[in-house]
Amino acid sequence: MPTLILVRHGRSTANTSGVLAGWTPGVTLDERGAAQAAALPARLAGLPLCEVVASPLERCQETVRPLLEARPGLRLSTDERIGECHYGDWSGRKLAELKDEPLMEVVQAHPSAAAFPGGESLRAMQTRAAEAVREWNVRVERDHGADAVYLMCSHGDIIKSLVADALGLHLDLFQRISVEPCSVTAIRYTRLRPYLIRLGDTGNFASLAPREEPGDGPAEGDAPVGGGAGAP
């Protein structure tokens, strides 16, 4: 079966302002995010990509645009199932405000039980994304062969949930996974099991350096909901 290249969108205006964007319209790449997207074609130059699938949200569509311009023969498909988690009433709110919500503790420690008010559960998010990947695997193999490589551009929580699915990890462990903006994660699918062959690769180790301030999650040591802004 095919190899899936998962790319998180470049850094967005919501990432840098500490806002949980969700499906809020008008969230675009910031200057650094645009530069990350512009560098993507060179980073992926050695890969014979046959398809590109993206979330419908603008920050993902912007991220893949330079890649599509560099490879005019590459087709773009949009799939809502790999769109961001529907955070409901939390969408557009500051992460600093949300850290005191009782639900945030559940999101961090028991995410399989977390459902956002007016939105969806993290469990439902993972299910729809995993179903999308499995359907695309079948389609890509049918159209391009078992050794095909294709790309999906999606969001932090979606990619983390797909990595957990590939590793056979319970969703309650997915907050232990980190993927920075415009990072590349690769999963090779086979008839019996998937293999994680890259995780959150940016080619940049700046995020490993100690920070002067606590991390950008809701509390020190917690995973940033939505994925975080990456290295400073």
Side-chain angles (χ1 to χ4, degrees), residues 3-195:
T3 296
L4 170 60
I5 307 300
L6 287 162
V7 175
R8 185 183 167 202
H9 62 78
R11 196 174 74 174
S12 73
T13 53
N15 293 147
T16 46
S17 60
V19 169
L20 186 62
W23 286 68
T24 304
V27 176
T28 61
L29 299 183
D30 68 6
E31 184 177 352
R32 180 172 177 178
Q36 290 170 331
L40 198 57
R43 291 174 62 199
L44 301 177
L47 290 178
L49 298 173
C50 65
E51 298 267 1
V52 172
V53 187
S55 156
L57 295 174
E58 192 170 354
R59 51 198 184 272
C60 288
Q61 299 282 322
E62 286 182 333
T63 298
V64 298
R65 193 170 297 148
L67 178 64
L68 295 168
E69 291 172 353
R71 303 195 193 192
L74 206 52
R75 183 180 68 181
L76 172 65
S77 299
T78 297
D79 194 325
E80 290 195 358
R81 294 174 297 175
I82 61 166
E84 181 63 285
C85 184
H86 291 276
Y87 296 117
D89 297 345
W90 280 25
S91 298
R93 292 182 61 188
K94 289 277 191 178
L95 288 166
E97 298 173 2
L98 294 171
K99 70 179 182 179
D100 295 324
E101 294 279 354
L103 178 61
M104 183 61 83
E105 187 176 12
V106 182
V107 169
Q108 294 295 331
H110 191 18
S112 65
F116 295 97
E120 71 178 331
S121 67
L122 287 169
R123 190 173 62 256
M125 176 202 74
Q126 183 188 44
T127 297
R128 64 171 163 86
E131 286 178 351
V133 166
R134 281 162 174 77
E135 288 182 20
W136 275 102
N137 283 346
V138 171
R139 187 184 310 186
V140 167
E141 182 172 4
R142 180 196 66 205
D143 294 344
H144 303 284
D147 295 326
V149 181
Y150 74 107
L151 181 146
M152 279 187 170
C153 184
S154 188
H155 307 265
D157 282 348
I158 293 282
I159 294 173
K160 287 161 55 178
S161 74
L162 289 171
V163 169
D165 175 76
L167 292 175
L169 292 177
H170 197 282
L171 185 61
D172 285 345
L173 301 178
F174 101 124
Q175 296 290 30
R176 302 184 185 192
I177 298 165
S178 176
V179 289
E180 291 199 5
C182 226
S183 63
V184 174
T185 293
I187 302 171
R188 180 168 292 138
Y189 288 86
T190 73
R191 186 173 64 87
L192 297 179
R193 64 182 66 87
Y195 293 88

